[in-house]
Amino acid sequence: MVLELIPHWYYRTTNDTKPNDGTFGKIVPQVTPSAKILQHYHNSLHQQIVHNASYVLPSEYYGPLKTLLLKSPDVQPTSASAAYILGEIRRDKNDAVLPLVRLLLNHDKLVPFVTAVAELNLKDTQDANTIFRENSLATRCLDEMMKIVGGHYLKVTLKSTLDEICESSKSCEIDPIKLKEGDNVENNKENLRYYVDKLFSTIVRSSMSCPTVMCDIFYSLRQMATQRFPNDPHVQYSAVSSFVFLRFFAVAVVSPHTFHLRPHHPDAQTIRTLTLISKTIQTLGSWGSLSKSNSSFKETFMCEFFKMFQEKGYIIAVKKFLDEISTETKESSGTREPVHLKEGEMNKRAQGRTQIGKKNFKKWWFCLTSRELTYHKQPGKNAMRHSYSAMALSTPKRHIVNQM
């Protein structure tokens, strides 16, 4: 049995602390309780804890279901396949999509399945400008796949620059309304452009690090988009950029801690900087925006800032990068690269100690991949002591207490 506790923070308004923001009498969810909220809603902060209990049976009980799911890429019509039905009937789609992607990925069945459901999705797409923009089974499978296989790719591509941004105190605010006293908007623009250029140049030179399975799926998407809209010369690129820039790099930039690129949630100023960078990177990577004279920004200050990037060199760089990551590969579309399945803090019991007590456990940073389980003193440090192979992971380790 697997137990899971999920905390959610809320604050409830009361008669004694009636606010003027229209939230009186309502429960408003918060990701984390900020100091301002704690001060304003004193003695009214609540924590809701959701307790989940999952019973896991021996693997042989799942054999028939596994066989049925693995046949899904070959079933016609695709909407009649077990994997498609499972992904559509679940109330919480992510509960079905994540294990489904892991299963198909492990058995080299993900590329044909995603290709099949994406082709089904394309039949209902009438406008090339909205290709793969909706939240469908195909886009959800691709999102989860990129999170699973793309973790290392993000680290080698973005981490060093994101570390520099998060550890710097440079202001990048270019919104005249949000400028602080003493800020110089021209200096801030230069700071912001420096970070955008540095991240952009790193991304467009990273094609060799892109996982094989991502390249194979991008190749399939590109081919299908061209067949669906043969008269649109840009759709083959927008089909790929809508995933790799919009749903992958831009998301990792604005929220690096969720991809284990940073150990903690950034402060408010850094979040604002990352948001501005992410918006620009997202638009730079959007082939539709680059191929038009006008950007897609609603804010005037962002439109003015983006004019700095409307040069032919950026268009050429994006096109070259998209070409390189959406070319058919000669390798198997399986997972030759080790897939980072999970990492985070765990408590490890000291060797030779049998008693249960706080002093007998130490916090380590564990990393579980498709090939091994290693633990480190800190994230990014070399592995310490033990490294269990994928075969060894099938044997329970009694001295590891999962707190991830």
Side-chain angles (χ1 to χ4, degrees), residues 92-107:
D92 187 344
K93 307 294 185 185
N94 292 330
D95 286 348
V97 171
L98 180 56
L100 182 62
V101 168
R102 285 177 173 171
L103 174 67
L104 295 174
L105 187 63
N106 191 51
H107 291 272

Side-chain angles (χ1 to χ4, degrees), residues 28 30 106 129 134 184 214 217 252 261 287 306 308 344 356:
V28 184
Q30 298 290 326
N106 191 51
N129 293 320
E134 67 279 2
N184 185 308
M214 288 176 61
I217 291 182
L261 299 175
W287 184 260
F306 193 72
M308 297 180 176
I356 301 296

Side-chain angles (χ1 to χ4, degrees), residues 225-244:
T226 303
Q227 293 173 7
R228 179 68 179 85
F229 300 100
N231 297 324
D232 190 323
H234 303 308
V235 71
Q236 59 175 318
Y237 296 108
S238 58
V240 179
S241 66
S242 62
F243 285 104
V244 73

Side-chain angles (χ1 to χ4, degrees), residues 91-124:
R91 180 178 299 178
D92 187 344
K93 307 294 185 185
N94 292 330
D95 286 348
V97 171
L98 180 56
L100 182 62
V101 168
R102 285 177 173 171
L103 174 67
L104 295 174
L105 187 63
N106 191 51
H107 291 272
D108 295 349
K109 295 286 186 178
L110 185 63
V111 175
F113 177 71
V114 170
T115 301
V117 293
E119 187 174 12
L120 187 65
N121 183 239
L122 271 177
K123 290 180 180 179
D124 298 326

Side-chain angles (χ1 to χ4, degrees), residues 129-239:
N129 293 320
T130 62
I131 190 169
F132 299 128
R133 291 298 177 94
E134 67 279 2
N135 189 25
S136 64
L137 179 60
T139 58
R140 291 197 301 270
C141 285
L142 269 160
D143 286 345
E144 293 301 333
M145 178 274 294
M146 291 190 294
K147 290 177 184 177
I148 293 172
V149 306
H152 181 68
Y153 180 33
L154 287 175
K155 283 186 177 180
V156 299
T157 306
L158 302 181
K159 192 175 188 323
S160 61
T161 306
L162 289 177
D163 286 342
E164 178 185 346
I165 295 169
C166 293
E167 292 166 10
S168 171
S169 59
K170 292 181 180 179
S171 175
C172 295
E173 184 57 71
I174 58 174
D175 184 353
I177 299 176
K178 296 183 178 181
L179 286 174
K180 296 179 181 179
E181 186 177 354
D183 274 356
N184 185 308
V185 67
E186 294 302 321
N187 289 342
N188 290 358
K189 280 184 180 181
E190 288 302 316
N191 293 338
L192 184 58
R193 179 171 186 175
Y194 166 77
Y195 288 139
V196 170
D197 273 332
K198 191 168 185 178
L199 275 175
F200 176 79
S201 61
T202 305
I203 289 171
V204 296
R205 294 198 308 265
S206 68
S207 59
M208 294 299 294
S209 300
C210 187
T212 302
V213 65
M214 288 176 61
C215 293
D216 286 344
I217 291 182
F218 292 154
Y219 171 77
S220 297
L221 296 179
R222 183 175 176 175
Q223 296 299 111
M224 287 187 293
T226 303
Q227 293 173 7
R228 179 68 179 85
F229 300 100
N231 297 324
D232 190 323
H234 303 308
V235 71
Q236 59 175 318
Y237 296 108
S238 58

Side-chain angles (χ1 to χ4, degrees), residues 359-397:
K359 293 183 179 180
N360 294 325
F361 289 83
K362 290 185 177 180
K363 283 189 176 181
W364 295 81
W365 186 266
F366 278 75
C367 180
L368 176 65
T369 73
S370 56
R371 294 182 183 174
E372 61 184 4
L373 171 65
T374 58
Y375 63 92
H376 322 248
K377 284 189 175 181
Q378 294 177 0
K381 299 295 183 181
N382 293 329
M384 299 289 293
R385 299 183 184 177
H386 295 295
S387 175
Y388 303 112
S389 66
M391 293 182 63
L393 291 177
S394 60
T395 305
K397 300 292 182 267

Side-chain angles (χ1 to χ4, degrees), residues 1 54-66:
M1 182 174 68
S54 303
Y55 292 88
V56 182
L57 302 176
S59 58
E60 56 266 21
Y61 284 84
Y62 301 99
L65 176 60
K66 174 183 173 182

Side-chain angles (χ1 to χ4, degrees), residues 8 24 112 145 212 354 396:
H8 298 280
F24 176 69
M145 178 274 294
T212 302
T354 57

